[in-house]
């Protein structure tokens, strides 16, 4: 498992997250990008921070446990100066995650469980 928190132009700032999870029946549909994810090319799952509602004051954020080996997830290595590539970018395009894989959720003004 790897953490999927950091995003381009956001870091892990919840207010700036752009990765989105939309509920479709019993699955979350995920679209967005994560960056600086160590060893993502080997991971079976990712702990993913995602946003479900974009309008304040009811912004909702989730931590999902997302299976990595599926269509819609592309892992691209970030080459380092020494030629290694332990860090990765991850692109999510209509990737799916079971509804019950919510690890935590937060609504603006609320607290993490």
């Amino acid at each position: 498992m790897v953490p999927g928190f950091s995003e381009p132009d956001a870091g892990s700032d919840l207010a700036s997250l752009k990765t989105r999870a939309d509920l479709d029946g019993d699955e979350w549909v995920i679209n967005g990008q994560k960056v600086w994810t160590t060893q993502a090319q080997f991971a079976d799952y990712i702990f993913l921070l995602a946003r479900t509602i974009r309008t304040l004051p009811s912004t909702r954020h989730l931590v999902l446990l997302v299976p990595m080996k599926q269509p819609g997830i592309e892992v691209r290595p970030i080459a380092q100066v020494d030629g290694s590539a332990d860090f990765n970018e991850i692109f999510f395009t209509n990737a799916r995650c079971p509804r019950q894989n919510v690890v935590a959720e937060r609504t603006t003004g609320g607290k993490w469980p």
Side-chain angles (χ1 to χ4, degrees):
M1 267 181 276
V2 294
F5 301 151
S6 293
E7 291 190 1
D9 303 321
S12 56
D13 174 26
L14 284 179
S16 299
L17 283 182
K18 293 179 184 167
T19 297
R20 188 165 167 99
D22 296 301
L23 196 57
D24 179 24
D26 288 335
E27 294 181 309
W28 295 100
V29 179
I30 303 159
N31 287 285
Q33 178 184 357
K34 298 298 177 180
V35 70
W36 302 118
T37 308
T38 306
Q39 301 293 317
Q41 70 271 37
F42 305 116
D44 291 324
Y45 288 89
I46 184 171
F47 280 113
L48 182 81
L49 288 179
R51 175 182 294 245
T52 61
I53 301 170
R54 293 182 184 213
T55 57
L56 293 173
S58 59
T59 300
R60 183 173 171 212
H61 298 91
L62 300 174
V63 177
L64 297 169
L65 184 59
V66 179
M68 289 285 288
K69 310 294 191 229
Q70 64 166 300
I73 296 180
E74 181 184 356
V75 178
R76 294 184 196 165
I78 300 172
Q80 305 298 299
V81 174
D82 66 359
S84 67
D86 293 328
F87 301 109
N88 300 274
E89 294 178 284
I90 307 172
F91 296 86
F92 299 88
T93 306
N94 295 321
R96 300 238 167 207
C97 178
R99 183 178 191 164
Q100 70 267 17
N101 283 25
V102 173
V103 176
E105 62 183 284
R106 179 183 183 275
T107 303
T108 300
K111 296 184 190 257
W112 288 98

